[in-house]
Amino acid sequence: MRTTTQILVIGGGPAGSTAAGLLAKEGFEVTLLERDHFPRYHIGESLLPSCRPILERLGVWDKIAAAGFQPKGGAYYFWGPEEWEVRFRPHGRDGSTSAWQVIRADFDKILLDHAREVGVDVTEGVAVKKLDFDGDRPVAAHWAEAKNPANSGRIEFDYLVDASGRGGVMATKYLKNRKFHNVFRNVAAWSYWKDAKQLDRGPSGAITVASVGDGWFWGIPLPDGTMSVGLVTGKDSFNAARNELGGVDPLYHKAIGDCPAIQQLLIEAEQVTEVKVEQDYSYAAEQFQGPGYLLAGDAACFLDPLLSTGVHLGTYSALIGTAAISSVIRGEIGETEAWDFYEVVYRRAYERLLVLVSTFYESYRGKEHHFFRAQQLSEKDWDGMDVQAAFDRFVTGIADLEDTEEVYRRIQGHLLGDESGKHNPLDNLNRVHEHKQAPEKPEKAINGLYLSYEPQIGIRRA
Ligand code: FAD
């Protein structure tokens, strides 16, 4: 194991391995420490098309395309009394599928192995236990082998990318700046089913999203023939129902029985795993950066499973982070300016999706249900975030999705494709926005800076 490195990346999930791989391809010395041995289980199986251009740039897309994952044509919603679909545009040089339903253990391993192949020094089974600081700047990490903690060491670095996921080494241990979302206080409970039916409508390989009572279900067809079926509901109603029904299993099965759209998919199916539960996953760090370090992916923020945005935000932050670190090391821009760019761009992407998720919840017509009423942003709901400002920034992005600043044009423009369903989920959002003043022309840059790929990934002056 090295004792010094130019860039240390903590965590080998999609955020960490994408950042590490991109940075190595830019010619830097990168070390990645991952606590687990891959393949390892992870939730988060439904990807967005926005990942594709990033994974192409990383050079791993062909491996993903050859891995036999389930092509995802979009999403199909049974949302209150309405049904609609979101159909992803084919994308990329060959116009082939732009998104996948993946088994994360396999997907994450492909990304991590690829990072190794492009020159990252990857060690698995090793956890970062402690960081040393010079003032506010982290300068070294103490690691220990997960299975044999006596095998330990220290590594010094110039720059740190914390991609340690929900564990969030920097945010939870040192900065203590992670704020949990008061609105999306949700619990997810899911398991896997074999012999589930394919949905008989909507884009092929779509994720099914179906509202039920106080919550909603996802149904994700996976490449191994199973279906991931998850219930998301409010924490209070989850706890009350669990107590009343005598456990998570009866709660989960009762909710399936109450949701005809999901029930019909599972009519001849067999549940093949236990029900897993996660909660407290909607949060954001107050700052996504500081001297010498960036937080990427879940280590920085996660909002809600509703729009399947986690891997998108992970790989997107990895891309912007690569641009920031690369330009700083090459002396093209100062650290403060680069880090500000990272903060603004990343937070804006996050807040935009936060508002979009909230709007989806608001558009649910069965407003008698507490869950959907509760999932609405208001200024006082969000500790530390100016929702109105976020809303306005979001308007800029969504209204000009196809013709916005350079940084979004290539990436975010592919987030949602043509809507050919009965109902356009963005109509609701646009209606709300009609009364807002639109900017005269789209911003071309942020604080006079933009992301560029030519000749290398970096931040350039407009
Ligand atoms: P992770 O994938 O969690 O990777 C972090 C890595 O860091 C881990 O491998 C961990 O072992 C390692 N690590 C942690 N601490 C240390 C340490 N101290 N030292 C070394 N290594 C360390 N996203 C989607 O895109 N689509 C979905 O359909 C979707 N569904 C979801 C459903 C639920 C219920 C939840 C909770 C999330 C869902 N997500 C989904 C979100 C998605 O799972 C995450 O956003 C995504 O995995 C984030 O990637 P990451 O690389 O930031 O973190």
Side-chain angles (χ1 to χ4, degrees), residues 11 13-15 34-35 40 42-44 46 104 128 164 297-298 302 310-311:
E34 164 55 50
R35 184 186 55 204
R40 57 96 176 86
H42 207 295
I43 188 61
S46 195
R104 279 289 302 275
V128 168
S164 57
D298 278 10
F302 180 64
V311 174

Side-chain angles (χ1 to χ4, degrees), residues 50 189 277 331 353 370 400 406 420:
S50 51
V277 177
L353 291 167
H370 168 75
D400 304 306
E406 172 75 10
S420 52

Side-chain angles (χ1 to χ4, degrees), residues 268-303:
E268 288 163 10
E270 181 193 347
Q271 188 182 341
V272 289
T273 67
E274 293 186 340
V275 179
K276 293 175 187 286
V277 177
E278 281 208 32
Q279 53 186 315
D280 297 330
Y281 47 68
S282 297
Y283 57 79
E286 282 173 317
Q287 294 252 296
F288 294 162
Q289 42 70 40
Y293 66 86
L294 302 176
L295 314 185
D298 278 10
C301 59
F302 180 64
L303 42 100

Side-chain angles (χ1 to χ4, degrees), residues 10-16 33-36 38 40 42-47 104 108 126-129 163-167 169 188 190 207 218 220 278 281 296-299 302 305 308-312 314:
I10 310 177
L33 302 181
E34 164 55 50
R35 184 186 55 204
D36 292 338
F38 281 24
R40 57 96 176 86
H42 207 295
I43 188 61
E45 295 131 341
S46 195
L47 305 190
R104 279 289 302 275
D108 289 14
V126 156
V128 168
K129 296 290 186 191
S164 57
R166 281 176 62 197
V169 173
W190 70 93
I207 180 174
W218 77 71
I220 301 173
E278 281 208 32
Y281 47 68
D298 278 10
F302 180 64
S308 312
T309 54
V311 174
H312 156 70

Side-chain angles (χ1 to χ4, degrees), residues 365-412:
R365 300 287 162 84
K367 290 199 174 24
E368 70 276 11
H369 290 295
H370 168 75
F371 176 73
F372 293 92
R373 275 205 318 272
Q375 310 287 318
Q376 297 175 13
L377 292 174
S378 75
E379 251 164 298
K380 66 178 168 43
D381 284 330
W382 174 246
D383 190 7
M385 189 181 102
D386 180 348
V387 171
Q388 190 62 49
F391 196 77
D392 290 349
R393 287 199 294 277
F394 176 60
V395 180
T396 316
I398 198 76
D400 304 306
L401 208 54
E402 292 304 308
D403 181 24
T404 186
E405 61 271 26
E406 172 75 10
V407 68
Y408 289 119
R409 190 143 47 85
R410 290 164 185 247
I411 308 299
Q412 299 278 53

